[in-house]
Structure formats: structure tokens, C-alpha cells
Amino acid sequence: MKLTRRLFLGATTAMALASAAHAQDKGTIYYMVPTLLDEFQTTSVDAIEKFMAEVGYEVVTLNADNKTDLQQSQMADTILLDPEAIVIAPVDFNALVPAIDEARAAGVPVMIFDRQITETELDFTSVAGTIEIGEVAAGEIKRLLTEKNGSVTGTILQVLGDPGDPYTLDIQKGFEDMMAGEDVEIITHPAMQWEASNAGTIVADELLATPDIDLIFVHAAHLSVAAVASLEAAGKAPGDVMLVSSNGAPVGLDLIRQGWQQVEVEQPLFAQAAALAMFADKVVAGEEIEAGTYDVLGLESTVTIEDWGPNIKIPGAAITPENVDDPTFWGNLQAPDDPITPVE
């Protein structure tokens, strides 16, 4: 039984909710996006709205502008609207736990998109296989080093994102586990707060300290831009130092086309959004979600039942000069036309 209550909305939230005048047959789902300042987040809004519409739900998106307190306030207001479900990409991984618990106590199921929360029970979580992204990157880097040096040998500069973010730590784990035992030196530094300028400084400093770097592996495409700027400043030409990145943003694909970057390992944004739509009916109805393997936009994805609830992990794919224009990669900003079929 859901609780239905009246509320007075704050001005910001009320304006954002005004677009929910007419829900589709199955009702309205609210998406709490952390920010709209990068292409991953803006594309996630379009994708979630598109795929949810295909299975009968209208989506209203609330932007938190990277403010934890604003997202908490939006959650409180939205719970009182008694929506069919709430999808959250949290600004702060743990700060929203009380609001999530309140929503579920009020009968509003909560799904998590992309930014995983493990400290409380949830109705469904859709995330990238971040450890697997690191493993894919390692496989590609082994190939590149072999092509250059005749075997998996050389010096790698790894530039993490912020060390407090599980996304980058998982990629690091997958990458380093796969590289263990190889004849490589891996130099690792974090770009604090995911700041591109920090990545640029790291690359510039290491080019002076370690001039024989074979390959740079950065954990996000926007960090690649700063890496390339530092390479150019050091007099390097495209290909002199190989570059690999992860997340699949448009800028990474452009750097591949320009010859600066050899591989981009995609974070499967479209599939992550599609998975939410595939399981939405079960989540809204409170039905059991079974563990197993599911096809999500052609990607073999795995649902496990974790302490925090059903969790689908979706693998990424390697983008290279040979397939960089494939429209299925989110960095080409063209959502796939594959029909979404709800899981029965």
C-alpha cells in the first residue's frame, strides 16, 4: 500500500515538476540527475526518458546541480507525490540513504543509475562493469604494447580520477589485476576531484621525470584532453606516446579520429539506461527479479542479488579507429533504435 500525501513544493522543485502534467498509461517515474554539466549526464536524461517511454512511463528529471542538499530536498518533495518509482544518480553516495529509506517505507521503489549505493536496500541497481572496464583496457594495452615493442613490456602512466570515487578504484583494480606478472612499470597518480588540469599537470611532470613513457591510461575521456595538451607542450606528435581512456565521451572518440588516442573503453550508458526500462514493470509491481544473464542492447549483462538488492552489471566495449563511428557508442550521441522489451 502506498502512502499519498499533500505537499507544498519549493519553488525550484515545483518548476521542474510542472512538466509532469500528463503521465503515460503506467504513470510517472522521477529521475534525480546529479548535474547537467557534462555530456554523460545530459545523454543519460535523454536515454532514460526515451527507453522508459517505450515501456509506458513518463519521466520527469530533476537536476541537483551537484548539490547534495538540493537532491535531498528534491527527494523529500518527490516522495510526497507518490510516483511509480524514483531513479537516482546520487550526488553523494551515502547522504541520500535516509531519503531512500523514507521513499521505500512510503511504498515508492527506488532504482539506482550508474552511481552505486551499497549501504541500504534498493529495488534495482544498473551500473557499468567498472572492474571489467579496467580488464578490457588492460587487454587493449597489452595489444598496443606488443605491437610497439614486440611483447607486453614498457612504461605506463596511469592517471586515476578522484581516489574517493569507487568508479576509478574499480577500473584500477581490474586493470592492475590483468597486468600483474607482465614486464611493465605502472606509475599511478590520482587527478583529484577529476579535474582535467590536475591530469595535465601529472602528465607534464611525468614526461620530465620519466621521458620513456610508452602509454598513458587515463580513467575518463575529459582527462585525455589535458593529457594531449601536455603531450603537445612537450613537443610530442600523435602516436609518439600512446593514449587509452575510459568512459566513451565524445571528446575521446574525437581524439581517436585525430590520432592522439588509440583506444577508448566505453562506459555502456545506453545499456545502463535500457536496463532500468527493461525491469521497470517488475520494480513498480514489487515482483521478484531473478539472478541470471540478460541481453541488454546486445550486451551480455549479469543480474546478481546483492545485500543491497538486485544489481545488473553491464560490460563496456573497446572503441578503436576501426569502429569509432559506430552509432551504438554513446559518444556518437545517437540513441539506438533497438526496441526495449520488459522482462517478464
Side-chain angles (χ1 to χ4, degrees):
M1 178 69 69
K2 291 184 179 180
L3 302 180
T4 303
R5 292 175 273 180
R6 295 184 178 180
L7 77 162
F8 294 95
L9 297 176
T12 301
T13 304
M15 291 175 63
L17 301 183
S19 62
H22 300 288
Q24 295 186 19
D25 291 346
K26 294 180 181 178
T28 302
I29 289 175
Y30 288 81
Y31 174 37
M32 307 293 177
V33 67
T35 179
L36 293 176
L37 293 179
D38 66 76
E39 289 164 311
F40 183 92
Q41 300 301 342
T42 56
T43 304
S44 77
V45 171
D46 295 338
I48 289 173
E49 290 179 354
K50 174 186 184 297
F51 293 134
M52 285 295 189
E54 289 183 15
V55 296
Y57 297 95
E58 180 176 9
V59 173
V60 174
T61 298
L62 303 180
N63 172 24
D65 286 324
N66 262 338
K67 299 174 182 176
T68 298
D69 58 345
L70 177 56
Q71 195 167 57
Q72 290 170 323
S73 176
Q74 291 169 341
M75 276 288 291
D77 288 346
T78 301
I79 290 168
L80 296 175
L81 291 175
D82 193 29
E84 299 304 318
I86 296 173
V87 175
I88 306 172
V91 173
D92 184 297
F93 292 90
N94 295 320
L96 280 186
V97 167
I100 291 169
D101 292 343
E102 181 182 348
R104 298 185 75 250
V108 180
V110 176
M111 295 185 278
I112 298 298
F113 174 75
D114 186 51
R115 299 184 173 189
Q116 193 163 51
I117 292 176
T118 62
E119 301 303 314
T120 192
E121 189 172 353
L122 301 153
D123 295 279
F124 189 70
T125 296
S126 178
V127 292
T130 44
I131 289 176
E132 290 79 2
I133 286 174
E135 293 171 346
V136 171
E140 291 297 306
I141 287 170
K142 289 181 182 182
R143 173 181 66 80
L144 292 170
L145 290 175
T146 300
E147 290 174 358
K148 179 182 178 181
N149 299 329
S151 63
V152 184
T153 183
T155 301
I156 301 167
L157 171 60
Q158 179 180 210
V159 182
L160 311 181
D162 193 276
D165 189 340
Y167 175 85
T168 197
L169 298 179
D170 283 353
I171 292 175
Q172 179 185 17
K173 176 175 172 51
F175 170 66
E176 293 182 357
D177 285 353
M178 286 289 288
M179 297 301 294
E182 301 291 355
D183 183 22
V184 295
E185 178 185 5
I186 301 174
I187 303 166
T188 300
H189 296 286
M192 301 302 293
Q193 299 179 332
W194 289 98
E195 281 289 338
S197 60
N198 293 336
T201 299
I202 291 167
V203 172
D205 290 347
E206 281 299 333
L207 287 172
L208 292 174
T210 315
D212 61 345
I213 292 172
D214 292 280
L215 184 144
I216 300 170
F217 174 37
V218 298
H219 286 194
H222 74 283
L223 303 182
S224 294
V225 178
V228 167
S230 293
L231 288 169
E232 286 188 294
K236 304 293 186 182
D240 287 350
V241 178
M242 295 181 290
L243 182 60
V244 173
S245 176
S246 62
N247 89 331
V251 67
L253 277 60
D254 288 342
L255 289 174
I256 290 176
R257 296 181 181 104
Q258 295 166 21
W260 281 105
Q261 187 167 310
Q262 284 65 49
V263 176
E264 178 79 25
V265 182
E266 185 197 40
Q267 181 178 355
L269 183 158
F270 288 141
Q272 288 175 244
L276 295 174
M278 287 173 57
F279 287 91
D281 285 350
K282 282 189 168 294
V283 169
V284 169
E287 296 177 355
E288 180 182 0
I289 293 175
E290 295 183 1
T293 300
Y294 296 82
D295 183 293
V296 184
L297 297 183
L299 296 173
E300 186 174 288
S301 307
T302 303
V303 170
T304 55
I305 309 303
E306 307 291 346
D307 291 342
W308 57 89
N311 188 101
I312 191 165
K313 183 183 288 186
I314 303 172
I319 305 171
T320 67
E322 290 69 35
N323 65 359
V324 66
D325 295 320
D326 188 331
T328 60
F329 297 129
W330 79 263
N332 286 314
L333 304 178
Q334 181 179 337
D337 294 326
D338 308 50
I340 301 301
T341 302
V343 174
E344 297 181 355

